[in-house]
Amino acid sequence: MSSQVAIGSLGISGSHEPRQQGGTPSPFTLVDLQHRQVRYVRISLTDRCNYRCTYCMPAEGVEVVDRPQLLRFEEIVRLVRIFVAMGIRRVRLTGGEPLTRRRVVDLIAQIAAVEGLEDLAMTTNGHQLVSLAGPLHDAGLTRLNVSLDTLDAERFAAITRQGHLKHVLDGLKSASEAGFSGIKLNAVMLRGLNDAETSDLLAFARAHGHVLRYIEYMPIGTDDYWGPESFISGDELRTRLTDAGWTLRGDDISASRGGGPARYWQAWPRGVDPDSAPGTPVGFITAVSDHFCATCNRVRVSPVGTLRECLSTAGALSLRDLMRQGAEDAVVTQAIRDALDGKVDGHRFWSGQTTLESMVQIGG
Ligand code: SAM
Ligand code: SF4
């Protein structure tokens, strides 16, 4: 039996048939007021990080919350269970640096065991992948995104302030050897800092079988550095690639690549015939110049358990407090639905609205 139920102003549609033995739970769909299906939750494991990337955090004086304020493992797993019961099938773990969370491999195993969850991914700076890639893969992590803004060791140290390029490059190798495929590389592009490497980064991704996504620098966290001097749009990056000899074709492969925020093109380097050789997928996350709010399919949970419906607005619902006050799953579920009524139709970055919370506080 199929039905449509309206709860508050949220429509929840889907089959209400009981779960089949051994099958996946009924596919309820979570829809917000703009009729966008929320399919994907990003959960931040910590606000702590072993790097201090210039576009993300100040060099010093970063305040972190007291550990008891962070969501506990059992709270994170409970939330995943609740979201899965609401129809969500994909979870991404982020931070701060998620691999700095103690016993993170145990946590992955617990989350991966949640019935009905189909995809458990992580975004990491890659610093600890040499030792952790194998255990993470064995524990049930399915996909990895690794941040890599430059291939130049000195520039890498300057951007991350505390990082070493070699750790990340070795970590990528370990991740491939551990069985992760289709690893995505995230590169935040900054004019005058790493933009000269636009083509080199794509060549690196192609050579290693990774998928590069260029990310537009967003006015989040740091209010003094973002501006026309540092910002580069996706359009300009594509022009730079074609100027460097790349052939780019269509963004029509986007839909086949997970429905995330990136729009994808196929790319062929100079000298390779696009009609006879496979292209390399390359993504552009143009959150500023060409936002994808109309198709936004995600919500975020901050390290302290605040539900954040949009990156650009402060969340108000503390799922952690609800759970610590003893709320039943049904109460937490309804609170999430009610909060999604406030999911805005689009961000306001260009009209001056931003948040001075950094990506690490939000859960990037
Ligand atoms: N520490 C992990 C990492 O660096 O991959 C995960 C958290 S980090 C906040 C998630 C992503 O946000 C990274 O790819 C990072 O480059 C990106 N990011 C951070 N600050 C940003 C900003 N102001 N604009 C655009 N992307 C940003
Ligand atoms: Fe840390 Fe990631 Fe922010 Fe860099 S981008 S400071 S690695 S949280």
Side-chain angles (χ1 to χ4, degrees):
M1 187 176 68
S2 212
S3 60
Q4 274 254 322
V5 187
I7 296 184
S9 43
L10 267 173
I12 301 161
S13 61
S15 160
H16 287 206
E17 284 175 10
R19 185 185 298 182
Q20 302 290 313
Q21 191 98 36
T24 52
S26 300
F28 287 90
T29 308
L30 192 59
V31 184
D32 74 4
L33 279 182
Q34 275 75 40
H35 308 291
R36 295 171 296 195
Q37 287 187 7
V38 177
R39 297 174 184 277
Y40 173 31
V41 177
R42 293 175 74 99
I43 300 177
S44 176
L45 300 187
T46 178
D47 59 345
R48 289 161 168 80
C49 187
N50 43 3
Y51 287 3
R52 289 286 179 275
C53 301
T54 49
Y55 49 75
C56 181
M57 293 202 216
E60 283 167 16
V62 178
E63 286 184 21
V64 291
V65 300
D66 295 336
R67 282 187 204 280
Q69 291 190 46
L70 295 175
L71 284 177
R72 300 176 194 129
F73 281 13
E74 64 269 24
E75 291 168 338
I76 295 170
V77 176
R78 181 176 171 201
L79 282 179
V80 171
R81 229 181 267 119
I82 288 172
F83 278 118
V84 167
M86 295 174 86
I88 278 166
R89 296 286 174 267
R90 299 172 56 201
V91 168
R92 174 170 296 280
L93 304 173
T94 178
E97 175 46 44
L99 295 183
T100 62
R101 182 86 193 232
R102 280 183 220 149
R103 298 194 298 114
V104 65
V105 175
D106 287 353
L107 176 62
I108 300 294
Q110 289 177 40
I111 298 175
V114 172
E115 197 185 341
L117 183 67
E118 289 167 4
D119 183 30
L120 178 58
M122 178 181 281
T123 301
T124 169
N125 62 24
H127 187 85
Q128 295 176 80
L129 280 179
V130 167
S131 56
L132 290 180
L136 288 168
H137 190 265
D138 294 348
L141 192 70
T142 46
R143 289 189 303 122
L144 267 182
N145 288 13
V146 178
S147 293
L148 183 68
D149 304 323
T150 173
L151 297 166
D152 178 277
E154 269 181 41
R155 190 172 290 141
F156 187 90
I159 292 177
T160 61
R161 294 193 182 108
Q162 300 179 10
H164 298 284
L165 178 64
K166 189 174 174 351
H167 287 164
V168 180
L169 297 183
D170 289 350
L172 281 168
K173 200 160 165 273
S174 303
S176 297
E177 287 165 3
F180 288 103
S181 59
I183 296 172
K184 290 184 178 143
L185 302 180
N186 288 345
V188 178
M189 299 309 290
L190 303 128
R191 190 182 298 283
L193 202 55
N194 62 349
D195 54 334
E197 292 185 72
T198 304
S199 174
D200 293 349
L201 284 163
L202 184 53
F204 174 86
R206 181 177 167 90
H208 292 85
H210 305 320
V211 178
L212 178 66
R213 290 121 46 92
Y214 299 101
I215 302 180
E216 284 182 354
Y217 180 21
M218 286 181 267
I220 288 179
T222 46
D223 61 340
D224 50 352
Y225 185 56
W226 188 86
E229 321 75 44
S230 54
F231 176 78
I232 308 184
S233 69
D235 281 348
E236 184 175 339
L237 291 167
R238 281 189 292 277
T239 303
R240 284 179 182 230
L241 287 175
T242 47
D243 288 351
W246 291 87
T247 301
L248 296 182
R249 283 197 180 162
D251 62 344
D252 53 348
I253 60 167
S254 299
S256 63
R257 302 207 66 89
R263 288 170 58 204
Y264 286 93
W265 272 254
Q266 292 280 10
W268 291 261
R270 191 193 302 278
V272 176
D273 178 6
D275 293 320
S276 54
T280 298
V282 55
F284 297 82
I285 301 185
T286 53
V288 179
S289 71
D290 179 18
H291 69 68
F292 35 77
C293 305
T295 55
C296 179
N297 61 359
R298 63 198 48 209
V299 290
R300 293 177 153 79
V301 177
S302 82
V304 295
T306 304
L307 184 78
R308 200 170 187 121
E309 309 86 51
C310 172
L311 196 56
S312 78
T313 54
L317 172 65
S318 173
L319 297 170
R320 179 200 64 192
D321 290 352
L322 260 186
M323 290 189 287
R324 290 188 189 175
Q325 286 154 12
E328 302 280 330
D329 284 2
V331 174
V332 179
T333 303
Q334 189 58 49
I336 293 170
R337 287 186 177 132
D338 290 345
L340 277 173
D341 281 358
K343 186 164 163 60
V344 293
D345 55 354
H347 71 61
R348 310 282 187 263
F349 287 156
W350 282 126
S351 59
Q353 180 191 316
T354 180
T355 167
L356 287 184
E357 284 179 279
S358 66
M359 283 291 221
V360 286
Q361 291 161 314
I362 298 166

